[in-house]
Amino acid sequence: MKKTLRYAIKHSSPIFISFIPVALAYGVLMQNAGYNFIWTGACSLFVLAGSLQYLMMTFFAGGVSLITVAVMALLLNSRHIFYGLSFIEKFRSFGPWKYFLIYSLTDENYSLHCSHDFPEGINEKWAYILTAALTVAYWVILSILGALIGTVIPFDTTGIDFALTALFIVILIEQIKTADNRLPAWIGGISSIVCILIFGAANFILPALVITVALLSILRSRIEPKTEREGMK
Amino acid sequence: MTLSIMQSILIIAICAGCTFLERAFPFLVFRGNELPDVIKYLGKALPMAIMATLVVYCLKDTTFTAPSAFAPQLMAAAITALLHIWRRNTMLSIFGGTIVYMLLVQAVF
């Protein structure tokens, strides 16, 4: 268990780094909006979605109907509906912990779950759970700290959030290196860039993922290794 | 606070509920015992495609209007990738790339 915890701490460390500026600033902004650290902690724990929590501050300013709140929340995080597809059977095998892993299926945890590489002696189920629990703890604790003590950090952290971008790049390269077929990376990347050009940077991700799923389905016979396809029948 | 405590709690509850529902969506749709073949396939093929999408998502605000609007992130992204192809050490690539990016935005551009 100790070994599994150590693994989870190391595996989730880039997320901790990337959360520092975003979570601290969130706490500060909430404080300025008249919502103290209890509210900040509650939002971070229950909503657990950075961009939505920032958007919620405009809801707290008033004048937005609850229907609009629901629609905006659903639209902003729509990419999340695709994340579970890769973990349906895995999470099911984890018993009641499945609900915790679904609740915590953020961009960050999705990418960490996609890039597990277990050394000898690691309990797989607890590696998933502890990794997710740590990222939730980082997010909640750092945002509460931001509300309580402000963004006081002894050095200039501008740009430290690049750690998340770097993590995604590293995971993508690992997947490309170990995959039999690199077509999915091209499909995801190119449809994203094309959708940015068509729909703009703010609205590209849902159409990009819909197109990606469509292309992956159409090109299945070219992407899936033959043996696997026969084995699944 | 402009809103009442009750109104604020309602907003949090709605946002939390909507987010959870979206994350639970595939689990609710495919509740049966055996997953359809195509979903098993998509579950395996999607991560690589989604990681590429997330890389683009992180770099989506890049514009080519001024060097400072594209050079730091593209250079740091390239260095992260090269570091990783060269040494294949996750921590080195991530923290190396991040430090380069911080230096570029703080001291160079």
Side-chain angles (χ1 to χ4, degrees), chain A residues 47-63:
Chain A
V47 182
L48 192 69
S51 49
L52 177 56
Q53 284 176 237
Y54 272 84
L55 181 66
M56 280 166 68
M57 287 191 278
T58 65
F59 300 158
F60 289 143

Side-chain angles (χ1 to χ4, degrees), chain A residues 35 39 43 47 52 55-66 69-70 73, chain B residues 3-18:
Chain A
Y35 287 84
W39 289 100
C43 287
V47 182
L52 177 56
L55 181 66
M56 280 166 68
M57 287 191 278
T58 65
F59 300 158
F60 289 143
V64 184
S65 76
L66 293 178
V69 168
Chain B
L3 301 183
S4 70
I5 288 178
M6 208 49 225
Q7 285 171 312
S8 304
I9 290 176
L10 260 178
I11 288 176
I12 298 174
I14 290 172
C15 289
C18 288

Side-chain angles (χ1 to χ4, degrees), chain A residues 5 11 14 36 40 42 61 73 86-87 94-95 103 111-112 114 123 135 148 154 169 211 228 230:
Chain A
L5 179 63
H11 193 57
N36 68 13
T40 297
S86 302
F87 299 104
F94 292 165
Y103 142 80
S111 55
L112 293 181
C114 285
N123 181 316
T135 66
L148 289 177
I169 292 172
I211 291 170
E228 203 156 296
E230 278 157 7

Side-chain angles (χ1 to χ4, degrees), chain B residues 89-107:
Chain B
N89 176 330
T90 302
M91 294 296 142
L92 175 75
S93 317
I94 292 172
F95 295 118
T98 304
I99 290 167
V100 167
Y101 182 74
M102 290 173 75
L103 287 174
L104 286 174
V105 289
Q106 288 181 22

